């Protein structure tokens, strides 16, 4: 099935290469190929803008979290006036804040990896089956490497494997 490419959104296959149309000159570029290239470049640009916007949003959230942190001196004064229960609650809140920042930073790293894949031309293409991942899915999970169908299969296999481990 070389040369065939399937889109996740419609499931149809279309020729991704192969025979030239009757009006094409040897060594020339057909109008169809130009249109396909423009669509790819338009999709790439839209995906790049989306990834950069999500990355900036995450960086802003991390910056806001860091900006809300107390200085060491403020922290020391506040803790000296607290009882043990208040200090435990404050420690829990601090650990939760750190965990959330780590999660957001990991998300930023995944977006950076997605930007690299975009530059390499592999972003937005399912790593398992090779079809284009829908823009709707990429908007929801910007660092997705699998189409919905392959992701579902992978999650089902993981669930089955976990079930077998418990037995």
């Amino acid at each position: 099935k070389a040369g065939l490419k399937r889109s996740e959104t419609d499931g149809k296959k279309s020729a991704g290469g192969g025979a030239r149309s009757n009006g094409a000159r040897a060594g020339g570029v057909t109008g169809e190929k130009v249109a396909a290239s423009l669509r790819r470049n338009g999709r790439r640009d839209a995906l790049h803008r989306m990834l950069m916007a999500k990355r900036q949003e995450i960086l802003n959230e991390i910056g806001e979290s860091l900006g809300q942190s107390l200085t060491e001196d403020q922290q020391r004064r506040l803790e000296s006036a607290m009882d043990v229960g208040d200090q435990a609650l404050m420690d829990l809140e601090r650990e939760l804040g750190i965990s959330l920042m780590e999660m957001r930073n990991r998300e930023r790293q995944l977006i950076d990896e997605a930007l690299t894949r975009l530059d390499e031309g592999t972003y937005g293409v399912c790593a398992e089956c090779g079809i284009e991942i829908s823009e709707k899915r990429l908007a929801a999970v910007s660092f997705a490497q699998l189409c919905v169908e392959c992701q579902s299969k992978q999650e089902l296999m993981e669930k089955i494997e976990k079930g077998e481990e418990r037995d």
Side-chain angles (χ1 to χ4, degrees):
K1 296 184 182 182
L4 293 180
K5 197 176 199 182
R6 191 167 46 114
S7 170
E8 180 183 6
T9 54
D10 60 14
K12 295 178 184 172
K13 293 182 179 180
S14 60
R20 250 184 249 135
S21 66
N22 292 338
R25 300 176 304 203
V29 177
T30 66
E32 188 177 300
K33 286 183 180 179
V34 170
S37 176
L38 289 173
R39 280 192 304 274
R40 275 193 307 277
N41 287 339
R43 175 178 159 96
R44 184 198 176 285
D45 291 344
L47 292 173
H48 186 266
R49 283 191 303 273
M50 178 198 65
L51 287 169
M52 291 304 291
K54 288 197 181 243
R55 184 179 192 279
Q56 189 59 49
E57 179 184 324
I58 290 170
L59 289 174
N60 290 343
E61 289 176 15
I62 290 172
E64 287 173 15
S65 294
L66 291 174
Q68 293 173 357
S69 299
L70 298 174
T71 66
E72 268 187 56
D73 189 43
Q74 291 171 322
Q75 189 75 30
R76 229 185 333 265
R77 275 191 255 145
L78 186 61
E79 287 176 357
S80 66
M82 298 176 140
D83 65 15
V84 177
D86 289 338
Q87 287 180 349
L89 183 60
M90 193 166 182
D91 288 344
L92 181 65
E93 288 175 355
R94 186 178 315 128
E95 287 178 27
L96 180 63
I98 290 169
S99 293
L100 289 172
M101 278 204 309
E102 286 174 348
M103 285 174 44
R104 296 306 280 168
N105 192 49
R106 178 65 186 138
E107 234 178 295
R108 184 206 45 85
Q109 289 172 333
L110 290 170
I111 289 173
D112 286 346
E113 291 171 12
L115 284 164
T116 300
R117 289 194 317 274
L118 183 65
D119 289 341
E120 294 169 348
T122 59
Y123 178 73
V125 177
C126 179
E128 190 68 30
C129 68
I131 68 169
E132 278 189 356
I133 299 173
S134 70
E135 289 181 24
K136 190 175 178 180
R137 172 159 171 73
L138 292 172
V141 184
S142 54
F143 43 83
Q145 294 186 34
L146 301 174
C147 65
V148 173
E149 187 176 331
C150 290
Q151 182 69 39
S152 296
K153 287 178 186 176
Q154 181 180 348
E155 288 172 2
L156 181 61
M157 291 302 294
E158 289 173 1
K159 189 175 182 180
I160 291 169
E161 288 171 3
K162 284 182 182 178
E164 290 174 356
E165 289 174 7
R166 277 190 236 143
D167 294 340

